Amino acid sequence: MTNGKIPAARLGDDGPEVGAQGLGCMGMSFGYGPTDAGEARATLERALELGVTLYDTADAYGAGENERFLSPFFKAHRDELLIATKFALSIPPDEPTRRVIRNDAPYIRQAVEASLRRLDVDVIDLYYMHRRDVNVPIEETVGVMAELVREGKVKHLGLSEVTGAELRTAQAVHPIAAVQSEWSLFSRDIEAQVVPTARELGVALVPYSPLGRGFLTGSFANADQDLTTGDFRRQQPRFTGENAAANQALLEPVRTVAEARGASLGQIALAWVQQQAAVHDLPVIPIPGTRKPGRVEENIAATHIELTREQLELLEPIAAQVAGDRYADMRFASAGRE
């Protein structure tokens, strides 16, 4: 499904081939403050021109609005791309800003039908469990997801923010094509258990926030001071107060490598993530999010940067020095359950 402009990778041992870099679409209509819809649509088209074929959304992004926003683009290019969406973050009708994790069968069936309607497609290419409800056995959740495959509503299954043990249990029920977790120069906790388990089982890794939600690009220094009120990064411990100041200093080795390679900070951060495919011997398909065509071009260029051993060694210590957790509440991230 690639057009040769970027390398290819496979989603799982028996999964489809996609471009080695995907596109996270959440910020086009949700989470990162005001957006320009026309520019976001141009970003989608430019990404496809450059060989991006995996497009990532979720039903929780704007209570389904992100899926609706993407639907015309998906329909116009249905045979050229893969649609990835997710379930699990239920929105109570009387509390629109709250999310409740649900992995139960009735909710999954309700969620998939709603996503199919909003996307206006007959089948979802890659359907993820967005977050894990520890009160529901994961084999039951994946069992219901497997039924969706047999019914032709979903082609491939994915899991997000699961532990190595949870992935192993899920894989015994039905083949898992991809695990989506945060993975970047600032976030490497999945390397302890999730990555080796995925390699053993033939599951691809789809890193979200490979640019540290923009922090690794240098686009903002302190969320409280630099970002709009509606930007959810203002709620994340790493990007505010003393943590933000401490983490800014950690960008210096990234700058050093970027200057040596004539690249941007973001390109070095992305190149590092892409190179983990070779380091750990498994498919790695990051999904950096952007809503600017020029930024897509910059991100895609990173697929052609190979860092030297010395440059990798310079970047190696960064993650261990990061101040603050990935989320204010880590119970719903895999590292909080390992």
Side-chain angles (χ1 to χ4, degrees):
M1 293 191 73
T2 62
N3 64 10
K5 295 184 180 178
I6 60 174
R10 190 167 295 281
L11 287 168
D13 280 348
D14 301 315
E17 187 178 86
V18 294
Q21 186 182 114
L23 182 65
C25 300
M26 180 185 80
M28 293 184 173
S29 66
F30 173 77
Y32 287 158
T35 186
D36 182 319
E39 188 172 46
R41 292 188 183 96
T43 300
L44 294 167
E45 296 287 351
R46 186 61 178 140
L48 188 63
E49 291 173 357
L50 293 172
V52 173
T53 55
L54 178 64
Y55 293 79
D56 185 89
T57 182
D59 61 0
Y61 299 160
E65 286 304 315
N66 198 247
E67 290 178 325
R68 292 188 186 94
F69 174 80
L70 295 167
S71 176
F73 171 73
F74 289 159
K75 288 185 68 178
H77 301 285
R78 190 65 188 96
D79 296 333
E80 303 171 71
L81 53 78
L82 267 75
I83 301 170
T85 193
K86 316 176 194 72
F87 72 89
L89 300 181
S90 173
I91 304 172
D94 56 342
E95 297 181 81
T97 61
R98 187 174 169 229
R99 301 291 185 271
V100 177
I101 298 177
R102 291 187 60 181
N103 291 173
D104 57 283
Y107 180 74
I108 295 171
R109 291 197 163 275
Q110 171 190 328
V112 74
E113 295 296 343
S115 285
L116 287 167
R117 285 195 302 272
R118 287 188 293 262
L119 293 165
D120 196 15
V121 295
D122 296 325
V123 62
I124 294 165
D125 299 306
L126 178 59
Y127 200 42
Y128 285 102
M129 180 189 78
H130 202 161
R131 288 294 184 271
R132 170 95 166 91
D133 178 357
V134 297
N135 297 309
V136 179
I138 195 167
E139 54 265 45
E140 291 184 14
T141 300
V142 177
V144 178
M145 296 170 72
E147 291 174 4
L148 301 181
V149 175
R150 291 192 288 272
E151 294 165 10
K153 295 173 180 175
V154 170
K155 289 184 180 180
H156 304 281
L157 302 185
L159 303 171
S160 180
E161 288 290 354
V162 292
T163 66
E166 290 164 351
L167 173 57
R168 191 178 299 279
T169 299
Q171 180 79 359
V173 177
H174 188 279
I176 302 299
V179 167
Q180 185 175 128
S181 284
E182 187 168 357
W183 198 7
S184 73
L185 284 169
F186 267 28
S187 301
R188 298 180 58 179
D189 49 67
I190 66 168
E191 293 175 26
Q193 298 293 333
V194 179
V195 170
T197 303
R199 180 180 62 241
E200 175 191 340
L201 299 177
V203 178
L205 251 295
V206 178
Y208 71 83
S209 298
L211 296 172
R213 305 187 188 279
F215 194 84
L216 286 164
T217 70
S219 61
F220 72 98
N222 186 300
D224 286 334
Q225 299 170 9
D226 302 336
L227 303 178
T228 59
T229 303
D231 196 307
F232 87 107
R233 289 172 290 185
R234 290 165 61 104
Q235 305 168 21
Q236 294 187 296
R238 291 182 172 175
F239 306 138
T240 58
E242 293 181 357
N243 287 347
N247 292 334
Q248 269 294 309
L250 300 179
L251 297 182
E252 285 310 308
V254 187
R255 288 193 178 90
T256 298
V257 176
E259 290 171 3
R261 300 300 297 263
S264 68
L265 295 178
Q267 286 176 322
I268 297 305
L270 270 178
W272 181 89
V273 175
Q274 302 269 180
Q275 210 155 327
Q276 300 312 299
V279 172
H280 295 279
D281 189 28
L282 82 169
V284 176
I285 305 151
I287 49 169
T290 186
R291 46 199 180 188
K292 297 180 183 295
R295 189 70 75 181
V296 164
E297 295 167 1
E298 178 183 330
N299 292 346
I300 291 299
T303 65
H304 302 292
I305 297 174
E306 183 174 352
L307 301 174
T308 66
R309 180 173 58 83
E310 291 76 17
Q311 289 166 343
L312 290 171
E313 289 174 353
L314 186 62
L315 300 172
E316 180 66 23
I318 292 174
Q321 302 173 61
V322 173
D325 285 330
R326 294 201 271 131
Y327 295 99
D329 187 344
M330 285 292 289
R331 290 177 299 167
F332 308 115
S334 60
R337 298 193 305 278
E338 287 286 10

